[in-house]
Amino acid sequence: MKRLLIIGIGAGDPDHLTLQAAKAIAATDVFFIVDKGEVKQDLVQLRRDLIERHARPPYRIAEARDPERDRTAPGYEAAVEDWRSRRALACESLVRDELGEDQTGAFLVWGDPGVYDSTLAIVEEILARGTVAFEYEVIPGISSVAALTARHRTSLTQVGRPVHLTTGRRLAEDGATADDMVVMLDAHCSFAGLDDFHIHWGAYLGTPDEILVSGPVAEVGDRIRELRAEARARKGWVMDSYLLRRLPGTDG
């Protein structure tokens, strides 16, 4: 039986790799890399560096090109499902054609595989089609949420209070739904106007390009938008997240 490992590799710092993840990399025969193109070669290079440091020869690296997602489609969820299905076909080909029986293959996942990542859903879709059989195991990683709160030296939770993990799209649609919110996948700085919140924002966490800003949204919101735009223009992509916490004395 073929075996797959879905390995969380952390938010960007090579030292985020856990001992469990390092052992999993050492036990892998074939590493699968889905290439997002020239603009995001930093993401591919981190994976290659971790493989070179922790893998045990002989091993192979098999690559596939990530299909483009239609970002102009009117239906966001339908566009994501279409992209995910096409990505699943590319990953299915890798597992079917590149991984031998009784071998172990691995996908190295940025952050943690269970936090806003499509890999687990793709693996389940491949299994549901029934064209290739395998067992799989998930190795957790340090998420950008954990890296964010650590770098800002703040806690994710407060006594007796919930935390809402959401996306920029949902924040823009629903507004503030809790006193403490972690927001990811926000291309449009949807925190604008939430002046009764403090924001802990971070981009490229754990990398040499890391940017951190903290303060009341009313005071630092414009600065974050400027830094984000500059970073995207310079690198061609941005990976950021932030924690919103309602300021004391404001109405919730």
Side-chain angles (χ1 to χ4, degrees), residues 205-220:
L205 292 163
T207 76
D209 297 305
E210 181 180 87
I211 313 171
L212 299 172
V213 176
S214 181
V217 170
E219 297 178 11
V220 301

Side-chain angles (χ1 to χ4, degrees), residues 50-215:
L50 292 174
I51 292 168
E52 183 176 352
R53 182 181 301 180
H54 298 284
R56 293 179 181 171
Y59 63 83
R60 293 187 297 111
I61 297 176
E63 296 190 50
R65 187 61 182 265
D66 196 17
E68 293 291 332
R69 198 181 92 198
D70 185 0
R71 299 182 182 275
T72 64
Y76 171 76
E77 291 186 4
V80 170
E81 287 300 320
D82 172 70
W83 165 77
R84 182 180 288 172
S85 291
R86 288 185 288 118
R87 196 179 206 215
L89 288 173
C91 293
E92 180 180 324
S93 297
L94 288 174
V95 176
R96 183 187 63 239
D97 301 336
E98 300 290 346
L99 188 64
E101 297 299 329
D102 298 323
Q103 284 192 320
T104 297
F107 288 96
L108 305 187
V109 176
W110 200 268
D112 180 84
V115 183
Y116 285 123
D117 184 81
S118 64
T119 307
L120 296 182
I122 285 171
V123 167
E124 286 294 331
E125 183 172 332
I126 295 171
L127 285 173
R129 279 203 287 265
T131 58
V132 59
F134 54 86
E135 299 174 342
Y136 76 94
E137 181 181 351
V138 180
I139 311 299
I142 293 176
S143 69
S144 62
V145 179
L148 176 74
T149 55
R151 293 296 293 130
H152 279 289
R153 298 180 297 179
T154 190
S155 62
L156 175 63
T157 57
Q158 299 191 79
V159 176
R161 287 169 55 166
V163 176
H164 187 186
L165 181 62
T166 189
T167 66
R169 180 180 295 271
R170 294 305 301 267
L171 179 62
E173 292 175 355
D174 303 337
T177 53
D179 291 337
D180 299 89
M181 296 177 289
V182 174
V183 184
M184 307 175 76
L185 305 173
D186 186 5
H188 304 291
C189 296
S190 301
F191 54 77
L194 297 179
D195 292 347
D196 50 348
F197 281 83
H198 187 105
I199 187 171
H200 296 287
W201 177 81
Y204 312 113
L205 292 163
T207 76
D209 297 305
E210 181 180 87
I211 313 171
L212 299 172
V213 176
S214 181

